[in-house]
Amino acid sequence: MPQTSASPLFFLTLSAGLALSAPVVAETKEASHDHDHSHAHDHAHDQNDIYKGYFDDAQIKDRPLSDWAGDWQSVYPLLQQGALDAVMQHKAEHGDKTAAEYKAYYEVGYATDVNRITIDGNAVTFFRDGDPVQGRYASDGYEVLTYKKGNRGVRYVFAKEGGDAEAPEYIQFSDHIIAPQKADHYHLYWGDDRPEVLEELTNWPTYFPAELSASEIAADMQAH
């Protein structure tokens, strides 16, 4: 995995911009939903459209860090343990890759050694091998990404205001939601160089509530 010396927690890079549309970029899992979509412009897109990445600019709203409050587990260990094999098989039955190919794809996408994150107020704590590193964060706007298929994604950025020196300077959430709403899972990007976030399109550590079992997470993934 790419890393820099800027921070021992750096796995992903962050992008510049505040509530601005970004250039068209390569497709990532967070934007990739293999569904045909006819695009009506005379009404606001519904929640299903938004999840797939089709929405109007007017529907995008700022979100507070409390939308991601809680105790979260990385799904990467579950993938490595085989607990998500049924998800990969499900994808193979409905997609264009074999189960093994999907697993290899998600091995890259989910990869991280931060297996737990807690968010309480403005404090975000990263756990690496059980050791906590904490930063205090404030909203730094959002980024709108446009993907090759024509769908889009919104990433919500928070900048560090204090805390441990080892905590990343920026964190950025992507969860298919574009207005205030409690997240049920998310992809997280973090690092010290904000302008580079849009260049990271292959690695998106993904977190689900810590209280969920592996089978519950697998069922949720198959529902989507």
Side-chain angles (χ1 to χ4, degrees):
M1 296 306 303
Q3 270 184 287
T4 73
S5 59
S7 167
L9 282 170
F10 182 84
F11 302 97
L12 302 164
T13 52
L14 295 179
S15 93
L18 182 64
L20 298 175
S21 291
V24 174
V25 296
E27 221 173 288
T28 69
K29 186 270 172 187
E30 68 183 75
S32 178
H33 298 276
D34 296 323
H35 305 279
D36 292 329
H37 184 88
S38 59
H39 201 98
H41 293 278
D42 58 351
H43 63 86
H45 295 286
D46 63 20
Q47 290 301 312
N48 192 44
D49 285 342
I50 291 170
Y51 188 89
K52 296 174 185 177
Y54 297 94
F55 47 82
D56 299 319
D57 287 347
Q59 293 179 275
I60 306 170
K61 307 296 181 185
D62 286 321
R63 296 172 66 190
L65 189 58
S66 57
D67 275 4
W68 299 276
D71 192 342
W72 303 89
Q73 62 176 306
S74 167
V75 299
Y76 185 50
L78 303 181
L79 183 72
Q80 293 178 303
Q81 296 159 12
L84 302 182
D85 284 355
V87 178
M88 302 302 116
Q89 182 58 44
H90 177 79
K91 290 181 178 296
E93 292 168 0
H94 297 84
D96 57 1
K97 298 180 179 69
T98 67
E101 288 171 337
Y102 274 112
K103 187 169 185 176
Y105 173 71
Y106 284 93
E107 283 275 3
V108 176
Y110 289 159
T112 183
D113 62 359
V114 175
N115 288 339
R116 181 188 176 202
I117 293 174
T118 63
I119 302 174
D120 182 10
N122 69 346
V124 179
T125 306
F126 301 80
F127 292 85
R128 180 196 242 172
D129 297 326
D131 297 325
V133 170
Q134 185 179 100
R136 297 187 302 277
Y137 294 87
S139 176
D140 200 35
Y142 58 80
E143 298 282 351
V144 180
L145 284 70
T146 300
Y147 303 102
K148 284 184 176 180
K149 287 180 68 174
N151 57 340
R152 300 189 296 164
V154 179
R155 297 186 183 180
Y156 289 89
V157 183
F158 293 82
K160 187 170 74 171
E161 292 190 318
D164 298 329
E166 299 85 358
E169 292 297 318
Y170 298 96
I171 57 176
Q172 186 170 13
F173 297 88
S174 177
D175 59 4
H176 314 282
I177 299 170
I178 63 171
Q181 179 181 324
K182 175 64 177 173
D184 57 9
H185 77 282
Y186 58 84
H187 312 293
L188 189 66
Y189 300 75
W190 63 82
D192 295 337
D193 190 347
R194 190 184 195 279
E196 295 181 0
V197 69
L198 299 182
E199 297 177 12
E200 177 52 72
L201 300 171
T202 59
N203 178 226
W204 12 266
T206 300
Y207 296 85
F208 275 74
E211 67 268 18
L212 294 184
S213 67
S215 60
E216 287 172 327
I217 291 173
D220 183 272
M221 289 180 171
Q222 289 183 67
H224 294 98

